[in-house]
Amino acid sequence: QVQLVESGGGLVQAGGSLRLSCAASGRTFSSYAMGWFRQAPGKEREFVAAIRWSGSTTQYADSVKGRFTISRDNAKNTVSLQMNNLKPEDTAVYYCNALYAATMSPSRYWGQGTQVTVSS
């Protein structure tokens, strides 16, 4: 079992920044790659960013490249998402997930989500 708890969401104006954090506990955190996903009202959950255990490999959705940065601290069992130059279309509930390392695909381990609202 892996337990994930997100924090750091909130309301911000367009062009602003937020930093999301995801604290992991349970099974060995370093066994998993980690990812961030988001779900806007009426839309399906979509991939945002991912990072491998070493932190040397990251992936981003085209919509956030150059604006968002994912990082992880294996000593603290945390993964973060720095979001800069936020746009109204970034408004969504953001979730972290413990990804299967071999395939970088989502596991059944999700956090409860944190709301990000970007006003225009």
Side-chain angles (χ1 to χ4, degrees):
Q1 285 285 72
V2 176
Q3 292 81 42
L4 303 170
V5 179
E6 302 96 336
S7 61
L11 173 64
V12 64
Q13 290 187 333
S17 298
L18 282 174
R19 186 177 180 87
L20 306 183
S21 293
C22 174
S25 61
R27 294 185 65 181
T28 307
F29 176 66
S30 60
S31 298
Y32 293 89
M34 294 298 296
W36 285 95
F37 294 75
R38 66 186 182 186
Q39 187 167 19
K43 295 187 176 181
E44 294 187 353
R45 193 170 298 187
E46 64 176 5
F47 168 78
V48 175
I51 186 167
R52 289 197 178 275
W53 174 83
S54 66
S56 63
T57 302
T58 56
Q59 299 175 1
Y60 296 94
D62 288 344
S63 58
V64 306
K65 280 181 182 177
R67 300 187 298 121
F68 290 12
T69 303
I70 189 171
S71 61
R72 67 188 291 167
D73 185 335
N74 291 335
K76 296 182 179 179
N77 284 4
T78 59
V79 60
S80 298
L81 186 68
Q82 177 66 42
M83 306 186 295
N84 298 329
N85 191 21
L86 283 161
K87 303 176 181 180
E89 51 264 42
D90 294 318
T91 295
V93 178
Y94 284 70
Y95 300 88
C96 66
N97 182 270
L99 306 173
Y100 293 115
T103 60
M104 298 291 277
S105 59
S107 72
R108 61 188 175 93
Y109 301 120
W110 294 93
Q112 84 289 350
T114 186
Q115 176 70 48
V116 171
T117 303
V118 185
S119 63
S120 57

